[in-house]
Amino acid sequence: LHQGLKLDSTVLISSDLPAKKIYSSSVLTNEISVEVWIAPENFSDISAKPIISFANSPDSSNLIFFQEFNKSNLRLRTSATSANGTSHFSDENIQNGSPYHIVYCKSDSGNVKIYINGVKDNELSIVGDFSNWDSTYSFSLGNYMSQTSQWRGTIFQIAIYDRDLSQSEILNNYNYGLPGITDLTAPSALSTTIINENDVRLDWIDSSITEEG
């Protein structure tokens, strides 16, 4: 469990179409929160490696969430920045192979907060709004659309919100732990009933209380 999505070679994971839902909702609220559970593994390269890329290229983006050696960095584009955006670095160093819960939050007023493992790591500011975001950009993980800069590590969870998450929400998400279910007891009395040629019914007695849903 907690295996996540391990990226250990050059690969492109991207949306087939522009990420218009992220674009539309964030432009409307002028807020965004980027939440990840990751375990980075590329500390031999000090160049910036994109974990999340909402961009056309490294120099033209709406947002890019990087690992730069042992720091995390969210580059955000606003009406007051160039097409390349402005960087917001974490203070805390991240370690090779260790899982981290990292959240970047940008409020409508321009306050940018960084949380690492439930604790506020840094607080910065940015002026402008998202009115100059480009609606044609796709969304990719671990690389640019051009596949020129591969991030290496494991992605357990990525979430994008069109609002500024509160500190209590972030702490709750961190305390919930890594995505996945542990310490489960196998169900009992499993039975199968064939309804018709297209449908099968499964019944069982739940023996665990640690999962949700």
Side-chain angles (χ1 to χ4, degrees):
L1 299 178
H2 302 326
Q3 291 180 351
L5 177 65
K6 186 176 180 63
L7 305 181
D8 56 9
S9 61
T10 300
V11 64
L12 177 62
I13 304 170
S14 68
S15 57
D16 291 331
L17 298 172
K20 290 190 174 181
K21 186 174 182 179
I22 298 175
Y23 165 83
S24 298
S25 56
S26 294
V27 168
L28 180 64
T29 63
N30 194 38
E31 294 189 343
I32 196 164
S33 293
V34 179
E35 178 184 30
V36 302
W37 269 106
I38 57 168
E41 292 181 5
N42 54 321
F43 281 75
S44 59
D45 190 340
I46 64 173
S47 62
K49 303 296 183 182
I51 302 168
I52 298 173
S53 175
F54 186 15
N56 182 52
S57 70
D59 300 321
S60 184
S61 64
N62 293 332
L63 73 83
I64 304 176
F65 175 64
F66 296 100
Q67 176 191 338
E68 295 198 37
F69 189 47
N70 59 358
K71 301 287 187 182
S72 63
N73 173 24
L74 181 70
R75 187 188 297 164
L76 268 180
R77 175 181 182 176
T78 73
S79 56
T81 72
S82 69
N84 198 27
T86 297
S87 290
H88 303 83
F89 284 93
S90 64
D91 279 340
E92 181 179 335
N93 293 341
I94 53 179
Q95 304 299 318
N96 190 23
S98 299
Y100 287 90
H101 180 249
I102 304 174
V103 185
Y104 278 78
C105 305
K106 186 262 182 194
S107 69
D108 182 41
S109 63
N111 185 247
V112 178
K113 294 169 290 184
I114 307 168
Y115 294 84
I116 298 181
N117 292 344
V119 178
K120 186 190 290 185
D121 171 80
N122 203 356
E123 189 165 354
L124 307 138
S125 62
I126 188 171
V127 297
D129 55 39
F130 296 149
S131 60
N132 66 334
W133 273 25
D134 195 314
S135 64
T136 66
Y137 293 168
S138 295
F139 188 86
S140 60
L141 302 179
N143 212 328
Y144 299 115
M145 295 298 292
S146 58
Q147 302 187 56
T148 56
S149 188
Q150 180 66 51
W151 179 80
R152 297 178 188 273
T154 302
I155 298 173
F156 300 100
Q157 176 179 306
I158 286 177
I160 309 291
Y161 306 84
D162 61 355
R163 60 187 180 87
D164 178 21
L165 291 180
S166 68
Q167 186 168 5
S168 61
E169 288 176 310
I170 293 167
L171 184 60
N172 180 71
N173 290 354
Y174 170 67
N175 287 335
Y176 188 80
L178 280 169
I181 302 169
T182 60
D183 302 324
L184 294 183
T185 302
S188 59
L190 178 64
S191 64
T192 304
T193 304
I194 298 176
I195 306 301
N196 53 52
E197 62 181 8
N198 296 314
D199 299 295
V200 175
R201 174 177 172 176
L202 297 177
D203 294 285
W204 65 89
I205 296 174
D206 192 0
S207 303
S208 185
I209 61 172
T210 56
E211 79 273 27
E212 291 187 352

